[in-house]
PDB file of all heavy atoms in Angstrom:
ATOM      1  N   PHE A 997       4.194  -3.965   4.630  1.00 95.00           N
ATOM      2  CA  PHE A 997       2.911  -4.616   4.882  1.00 95.00           C
ATOM      3  C   PHE A 997       2.418  -4.420   6.307  1.00 95.00           C
ATOM      4  O   PHE A 997       1.248  -4.632   6.595  1.00 95.00           O
ATOM      5  CB  PHE A 997       2.937  -6.134   4.599  1.00 95.00           C
ATOM      6  CG  PHE A 997       3.370  -6.481   3.210  1.00 95.00           C
ATOM      7  CD1 PHE A 997       4.591  -7.091   2.956  1.00 95.00           C
ATOM      8  CD2 PHE A 997       2.547  -6.238   2.119  1.00 95.00           C
ATOM      9  CE1 PHE A 997       4.963  -7.451   1.675  1.00 95.00           C
ATOM     10  CE2 PHE A 997       2.925  -6.578   0.836  1.00 95.00           C
ATOM     11  CZ  PHE A 997       4.150  -7.191   0.618  1.00 95.00           C
ATOM     12  N   ALA A 998       3.329  -4.038   7.238  1.00 92.00           N
ATOM     13  CA  ALA A 998       2.992  -4.051   8.663  1.00 92.00           C
ATOM     14  C   ALA A 998       2.636  -2.678   9.179  1.00 92.00           C
ATOM     15  O   ALA A 998       2.010  -2.590  10.255  1.00 92.00           O
ATOM     16  CB  ALA A 998       4.162  -4.633   9.446  1.00 92.00           C
ATOM     17  N   THR A 999       3.032  -1.642   8.548  1.00 89.00           N
ATOM     18  CA  THR A 999       2.796  -0.300   9.033  1.00 89.00           C
ATOM     19  C   THR A 999       2.580   0.653   7.837  1.00 89.00           C
ATOM     20  O   THR A 999       2.445   0.191   6.701  1.00 89.00           O
ATOM     21  CB  THR A 999       3.915   0.196   9.949  1.00 89.00           C
ATOM     22  OG1 THR A 999       3.598   1.475  10.492  1.00 89.00           O
ATOM     23  CG2 THR A 999       5.239   0.293   9.182  1.00 89.00           C
ATOM     24  N   GLY A1000       2.533   1.948   8.101  1.00 92.00           N
ATOM     25  CA  GLY A1000       2.317   2.930   7.020  1.00 92.00           C
ATOM     26  C   GLY A1000       0.864   3.342   6.888  1.00 92.00           C
ATOM     27  O   GLY A1000      -0.053   2.728   7.483  1.00 92.00           O
ATOM     28  N   TRP A1001       0.661   4.402   6.163  1.00 94.00           N
ATOM     29  CA  TRP A1001      -0.652   4.962   5.949  1.00 94.00           C
ATOM     30  C   TRP A1001      -0.640   5.837   4.704  1.00 94.00           C
ATOM     31  O   TRP A1001       0.426   6.281   4.251  1.00 94.00           O
ATOM     32  CB  TRP A1001      -1.123   5.786   7.158  1.00 94.00           C
ATOM     33  CG  TRP A1001      -0.045   6.691   7.726  1.00 94.00           C
ATOM     34  CD1 TRP A1001       0.264   7.953   7.321  1.00 94.00           C
ATOM     35  CD2 TRP A1001       0.871   6.375   8.774  1.00 94.00           C
ATOM     36  NE1 TRP A1001       1.293   8.483   8.042  1.00 94.00           N
ATOM     37  CE2 TRP A1001       1.706   7.526   8.943  1.00 94.00           C
ATOM     38  CE3 TRP A1001       1.108   5.246   9.575  1.00 94.00           C
ATOM     39  CZ2 TRP A1001       2.715   7.559   9.899  1.00 94.00           C
ATOM     40  CZ3 TRP A1001       2.102   5.292  10.530  1.00 94.00           C
ATOM     41  CH2 TRP A1001       2.902   6.458  10.667  1.00 94.00           C
ATOM     42  N   PRO A1002      -1.791   6.138   4.058  1.00 96.00           N
ATOM     43  CA  PRO A1002      -1.824   6.859   2.811  1.00 96.00           C
ATOM     44  C   PRO A1002      -1.178   8.251   2.909  1.00 96.00           C
ATOM     45  O   PRO A1002      -0.501   8.689   1.960  1.00 96.00           O
ATOM     46  CB  PRO A1002      -3.318   6.995   2.491  1.00 96.00           C
ATOM     47  CG  PRO A1002      -3.943   5.867   3.253  1.00 96.00           C
ATOM     48  CD  PRO A1002      -3.143   5.684   4.487  1.00 96.00           C
ATOM     49  N   GLU A1003      -1.361   8.940   4.017  1.00 96.00           N
ATOM     50  CA  GLU A1003      -0.908  10.318   4.146  1.00 96.00           C
ATOM     51  C   GLU A1003       0.606  10.426   4.147  1.00 96.00           C
ATOM     52  O   GLU A1003       1.152  11.515   3.999  1.00 96.00           O
ATOM     53  CB  GLU A1003      -1.452  10.933   5.440  1.00 96.00           C
ATOM     54  CG  GLU A1003      -2.970  11.130   5.437  1.00 96.00           C
ATOM     55  CD  GLU A1003      -3.728   9.832   5.758  1.00 96.00           C
ATOM     56  OE1 GLU A1003      -3.098   8.808   6.106  1.00 96.00           O
ATOM     57  OE2 GLU A1003      -4.972   9.824   5.610  1.00 96.00           O
ATOM     58  N   ARG A1004       1.304   9.336   4.321  1.00 94.00           N
ATOM     59  CA  ARG A1004       2.752   9.326   4.321  1.00 94.00           C
ATOM     60  C   ARG A1004       3.323   9.735   2.953  1.00 94.00           C
ATOM     61  O   ARG A1004       4.454  10.227   2.856  1.00 94.00           O
ATOM     62  CB  ARG A1004       3.282   7.937   4.711  1.00 94.00           C
ATOM     63  CG  ARG A1004       4.783   7.782   4.666  1.00 94.00           C
ATOM     64  CD  ARG A1004       5.204   6.363   5.038  1.00 94.00           C
ATOM     65  NE  ARG A1004       5.155   6.131   6.449  1.00 94.00           N
ATOM     66  CZ  ARG A1004       5.449   4.942   7.021  1.00 94.00           C
ATOM     67  NH1 ARG A1004       5.777   3.914   6.228  1.00 94.00           N
ATOM     68  NH2 ARG A1004       5.401   4.769   8.296  1.00 94.00           N
ATOM     69  N   HIS A1005       2.550   9.593   1.905  1.00 96.00           N
ATOM     70  CA  HIS A1005       3.053   9.763   0.543  1.00 96.00           C
ATOM     71  C   HIS A1005       2.477  10.993  -0.168  1.00 96.00           C
ATOM     72  O   HIS A1005       2.346  10.986  -1.366  1.00 96.00           O
ATOM     73  CB  HIS A1005       2.813   8.520  -0.282  1.00 96.00           C
ATOM     74  CG  HIS A1005       3.391   7.298   0.332  1.00 96.00           C
ATOM     75  ND1 HIS A1005       4.700   7.192   0.719  1.00 96.00           N
ATOM     76  CD2 HIS A1005       2.829   6.095   0.697  1.00 96.00           C
ATOM     77  CE1 HIS A1005       4.931   6.000   1.251  1.00 96.00           C
ATOM     78  NE2 HIS A1005       3.805   5.329   1.238  1.00 96.00           N
ATOM     79  N   HIS A1006       2.140  12.027   0.569  1.00 97.00           N
ATOM     80  CA  HIS A1006       1.610  13.242  -0.031  1.00 97.00           C
ATOM     81  C   HIS A1006       2.522  13.786  -1.107  1.00 97.00           C
ATOM     82  O   HIS A1006       2.061  14.308  -2.114  1.00 97.00           O
ATOM     83  CB  HIS A1006       1.335  14.303   1.071  1.00 97.00           C
ATOM     84  CG  HIS A1006       0.037  14.098   1.736  1.00 97.00           C
ATOM     85  ND1 HIS A1006      -0.419  14.921   2.761  1.00 97.00           N
ATOM     86  CD2 HIS A1006      -0.971  13.204   1.532  1.00 97.00           C
ATOM     87  CE1 HIS A1006      -1.616  14.536   3.152  1.00 97.00           C
ATOM     88  NE2 HIS A1006      -1.974  13.520   2.440  1.00 97.00           N
ATOM     89  N   ALA A1007       3.844  13.722  -0.856  1.00 97.00           N
ATOM     90  CA  ALA A1007       4.776  14.299  -1.839  1.00 97.00           C
ATOM     91  C   ALA A1007       4.691  13.527  -3.179  1.00 97.00           C
ATOM     92  O   ALA A1007       4.785  14.146  -4.261  1.00 97.00           O
ATOM     93  CB  ALA A1007       6.224  14.247  -1.281  1.00 97.00           C
ATOM     94  N   ILE A1008       4.496  12.192  -3.092  1.00 97.00           N
ATOM     95  CA  ILE A1008       4.377  11.409  -4.326  1.00 97.00           C
ATOM     96  C   ILE A1008       3.084  11.764  -5.056  1.00 97.00           C
ATOM     97  O   ILE A1008       3.079  11.946  -6.270  1.00 97.00           O
ATOM     98  CB  ILE A1008       4.434   9.920  -3.990  1.00 97.00           C
ATOM     99  CG1 ILE A1008       5.790   9.503  -3.448  1.00 97.00           C
ATOM    100  CG2 ILE A1008       4.074   9.053  -5.242  1.00 97.00           C
ATOM    101  CD1 ILE A1008       5.902   8.053  -3.028  1.00 97.00           C
ATOM    102  N   TYR A1009       1.987  11.899  -4.302  1.00 98.00           N
ATOM    103  CA  TYR A1009       0.709  12.226  -4.929  1.00 98.00           C
ATOM    104  C   TYR A1009       0.808  13.584  -5.645  1.00 98.00           C
ATOM    105  O   TYR A1009       0.305  13.769  -6.767  1.00 98.00           O
ATOM    106  CB  TYR A1009      -0.426  12.281  -3.898  1.00 98.00           C
ATOM    107  CG  TYR A1009      -0.561  11.070  -3.021  1.00 98.00           C
ATOM    108  CD1 TYR A1009      -1.111  11.165  -1.734  1.00 98.00           C
ATOM    109  CD2 TYR A1009      -0.150   9.821  -3.460  1.00 98.00           C
ATOM    110  CE1 TYR A1009      -1.263  10.080  -0.897  1.00 98.00           C
ATOM    111  CE2 TYR A1009      -0.287   8.686  -2.601  1.00 98.00           C
ATOM    112  CZ  TYR A1009      -0.818   8.832  -1.352  1.00 98.00           C
ATOM    113  OH  TYR A1009      -0.916   7.756  -0.533  1.00 98.00           O
ATOM    114  N   GLU A1010       1.404  14.528  -4.939  1.00 97.00           N
ATOM    115  CA  GLU A1010       1.574  15.890  -5.497  1.00 97.00           C
ATOM    116  C   GLU A1010       2.356  15.818  -6.828  1.00 97.00           C
ATOM    117  O   GLU A1010       1.978  16.462  -7.817  1.00 97.00           O
ATOM    118  CB  GLU A1010       2.227  16.773  -4.518  1.00 97.00           C
ATOM    119  CG  GLU A1010       2.345  18.244  -4.952  1.00 97.00           C
ATOM    120  CD  GLU A1010       2.932  19.134  -3.877  1.00 97.00           C
ATOM    121  OE1 GLU A1010       3.715  18.593  -3.062  1.00 97.00           O
ATOM    122  OE2 GLU A1010       2.585  20.312  -3.847  1.00 97.00           O
ATOM    123  N   ARG A1011       3.410  15.058  -6.821  1.00 97.00           N
ATOM    124  CA  ARG A1011       4.230  14.955  -8.039  1.00 97.00           C
ATOM    125  C   ARG A1011       3.456  14.303  -9.168  1.00 97.00           C
ATOM    126  O   ARG A1011       3.555  14.729 -10.346  1.00 97.00           O
ATOM    127  CB  ARG A1011       5.505  14.185  -7.737  1.00 97.00           C
ATOM    128  CG  ARG A1011       6.454  14.121  -8.880  1.00 97.00           C
ATOM    129  CD  ARG A1011       7.789  13.482  -8.464  1.00 97.00           C
ATOM    130  NE  ARG A1011       8.710  13.446  -9.601  1.00 97.00           N
ATOM    131  CZ  ARG A1011       9.941  12.936  -9.531  1.00 97.00           C
ATOM    132  NH1 ARG A1011      10.392  12.443  -8.369  1.00 97.00           N
ATOM    133  NH2 ARG A1011      10.732  12.937 -10.559  1.00 97.00           N
ATOM    134  N   LEU A1012       2.722  13.223  -8.861  1.00 97.00           N
ATOM    135  CA  LEU A1012       1.912  12.569  -9.892  1.00 97.00           C
ATOM    136  C   LEU A1012       0.900  13.506 -10.493  1.00 97.00           C
ATOM    137  O   LEU A1012       0.750  13.567 -11.704  1.00 97.00           O
ATOM    138  CB  LEU A1012       1.225  11.369  -9.272  1.00 97.00           C
ATOM    139  CG  LEU A1012       2.074  10.135  -8.954  1.00 97.00           C
ATOM    140  CD1 LEU A1012       1.240   9.089  -8.236  1.00 97.00           C
ATOM    141  CD2 LEU A1012       2.651   9.520 -10.204  1.00 97.00           C
ATOM    142  N   MET A1013       0.209  14.270  -9.649  1.00 97.00           N
ATOM    143  CA  MET A1013      -0.856  15.140 -10.141  1.00 97.00           C
ATOM    144  C   MET A1013      -0.322  16.300 -10.947  1.00 97.00           C
ATOM    145  O   MET A1013      -0.944  16.810 -11.843  1.00 97.00           O
ATOM    146  CB  MET A1013      -1.728  15.654  -8.965  1.00 97.00           C
ATOM    147  CG  MET A1013      -2.553  14.551  -8.338  1.00 97.00           C
ATOM    148  SD  MET A1013      -3.801  15.146  -7.128  1.00 97.00           S
ATOM    149  CE  MET A1013      -2.684  15.642  -5.775  1.00 97.00           C
ATOM    150  N   LYS A1014       0.879  16.762 -10.586  1.00 95.00           N
ATOM    151  CA  LYS A1014       1.494  17.882 -11.316  1.00 95.00           C
ATOM    152  C   LYS A1014       2.060  17.369 -12.663  1.00 95.00           C
ATOM    153  O   LYS A1014       2.060  18.107 -13.668  1.00 95.00           O
ATOM    154  CB  LYS A1014       2.606  18.500 -10.517  1.00 95.00           C
ATOM    155  CG  LYS A1014       2.124  19.395  -9.414  1.00 95.00           C
ATOM    156  CD  LYS A1014       3.277  20.074  -8.658  1.00 95.00           C
ATOM    157  CE  LYS A1014       2.754  21.045  -7.606  1.00 95.00           C
ATOM    158  NZ  LYS A1014       3.891  21.724  -6.898  1.00 95.00           N
ATOM    159  N   THR A1015       2.580  16.102 -12.696  1.00 95.00           N
ATOM    160  CA  THR A1015       3.116  15.593 -13.905  1.00 95.00           C
ATOM    161  C   THR A1015       2.029  15.298 -14.936  1.00 95.00           C
ATOM    162  O   THR A1015       2.176  15.610 -16.121  1.00 95.00           O
ATOM    163  CB  THR A1015       3.876  14.306 -13.618  1.00 95.00           C
ATOM    164  OG1 THR A1015       4.918  14.571 -12.681  1.00 95.00           O
ATOM    165  CG2 THR A1015       4.497  13.714 -14.868  1.00 95.00           C
ATOM    166  N   ARG A1016       0.950  14.719 -14.472  1.00 95.00           N
ATOM    167  CA  ARG A1016      -0.184  14.421 -15.327  1.00 95.00           C
ATOM    168  C   ARG A1016      -1.426  14.469 -14.483  1.00 95.00           C
ATOM    169  O   ARG A1016      -1.603  13.641 -13.568  1.00 95.00           O
ATOM    170  CB  ARG A1016      -0.045  13.038 -15.953  1.00 95.00           C
ATOM    171  CG  ARG A1016      -1.287  12.508 -16.662  1.00 95.00           C
ATOM    172  CD  ARG A1016      -1.594  13.334 -17.906  1.00 95.00           C
ATOM    173  NE  ARG A1016      -2.543  12.642 -18.768  1.00 95.00           N
ATOM    174  CZ  ARG A1016      -3.906  12.802 -18.681  1.00 95.00           C
ATOM    175  NH1 ARG A1016      -4.413  13.553 -17.724  1.00 95.00           N
ATOM    176  NH2 ARG A1016      -4.676  12.174 -19.532  1.00 95.00           N
ATOM    177  N   PRO A1017      -2.335  15.479 -14.663  1.00 96.00           N
ATOM    178  CA  PRO A1017      -3.503  15.579 -13.774  1.00 96.00           C
ATOM    179  C   PRO A1017      -4.236  14.238 -13.658  1.00 96.00           C
ATOM    180  O   PRO A1017      -4.537  13.561 -14.674  1.00 96.00           O
ATOM    181  CB  PRO A1017      -4.372  16.598 -14.494  1.00 96.00           C
ATOM    182  CG  PRO A1017      -3.355  17.484 -15.213  1.00 96.00           C
ATOM    183  CD  PRO A1017      -2.251  16.534 -15.655  1.00 96.00           C
ATOM    184  N   CYS A1018      -4.442  13.804 -12.431  1.00 97.00           N
ATOM    185  CA  CYS A1018      -5.094  12.525 -12.166  1.00 97.00           C
ATOM    186  C   CYS A1018      -5.725  12.583 -10.785  1.00 97.00           C
ATOM    187  O   CYS A1018      -5.493  13.522  -9.998  1.00 97.00           O
ATOM    188  CB  CYS A1018      -4.086  11.398 -12.222  1.00 97.00           C
ATOM    189  SG  CYS A1018      -2.693  11.594 -11.049  1.00 97.00           S
ATOM    190  N   ILE A1019      -6.543  11.594 -10.492  1.00 98.00           N
ATOM    191  CA  ILE A1019      -7.187  11.461  -9.173  1.00 98.00           C
ATOM    192  C   ILE A1019      -6.494  10.311  -8.451  1.00 98.00           C
ATOM    193  O   ILE A1019      -6.301   9.228  -9.018  1.00 98.00           O
ATOM    194  CB  ILE A1019      -8.686  11.207  -9.341  1.00 98.00           C
ATOM    195  CG1 ILE A1019      -9.350  12.405  -9.987  1.00 98.00           C
ATOM    196  CG2 ILE A1019      -9.295  10.895  -7.971  1.00 98.00           C
ATOM    197  CD1 ILE A1019     -10.790  12.143 -10.392  1.00 98.00           C
ATOM    198  N   ILE A1020      -6.150  10.560  -7.202  1.00 98.00           N
ATOM    199  CA  ILE A1020      -5.520   9.523  -6.384  1.00 98.00           C
ATOM    200  C   ILE A1020      -6.536   8.940  -5.437  1.00 98.00           C
ATOM    201  O   ILE A1020      -7.199   9.658  -4.692  1.00 98.00           O
ATOM    202  CB  ILE A1020      -4.340  10.082  -5.546  1.00 98.00           C
ATOM    203  CG1 ILE A1020      -3.359  10.905  -6.440  1.00 98.00           C
ATOM    204  CG2 ILE A1020      -3.642   8.978  -4.793  1.00 98.00           C
ATOM    205  CD1 ILE A1020      -2.577  10.083  -7.407  1.00 98.00           C
ATOM    206  N   VAL A1021      -6.686   7.618  -5.434  1.00 98.00           N
ATOM    207  CA  VAL A1021      -7.505   6.888  -4.469  1.00 98.00           C
ATOM    208  C   VAL A1021      -6.543   6.058  -3.625  1.00 98.00           C
ATOM    209  O   VAL A1021      -5.871   5.151  -4.136  1.00 98.00           O
ATOM    210  CB  VAL A1021      -8.546   6.001  -5.160  1.00 98.00           C
ATOM    211  CG1 VAL A1021      -9.300   5.176  -4.144  1.00 98.00           C
ATOM    212  CG2 VAL A1021      -9.525   6.829  -5.996  1.00 98.00           C
ATOM    213  N   ALA A1022      -6.434   6.397  -2.342  1.00 98.00           N
ATOM    214  CA  ALA A1022      -5.421   5.763  -1.483  1.00 98.00           C
ATOM    215  C   ALA A1022      -6.063   5.129  -0.267  1.00 98.00           C
ATOM    216  O   ALA A1022      -6.419   5.822   0.699  1.00 98.00           O
ATOM    217  CB  ALA A1022      -4.372   6.807  -1.071  1.00 98.00           C
TER     218      ALA A1022
END
Side-chain angles (χ1 to χ4, degrees):
F997 303 111
T999 184
W1001 45 86
E1003 294 79 9
R1004 176 182 282 178
H1005 304 307
H1006 276 178
I1008 295 178
Y1009 308 153
E1010 184 176 28
R1011 185 173 181 180
L1012 287 173
M1013 290 189 289
K1014 284 184 176 180
T1015 302
R1016 169 67 165 90
C1018 58
I1019 295 170
I1020 309 291
V1021 175

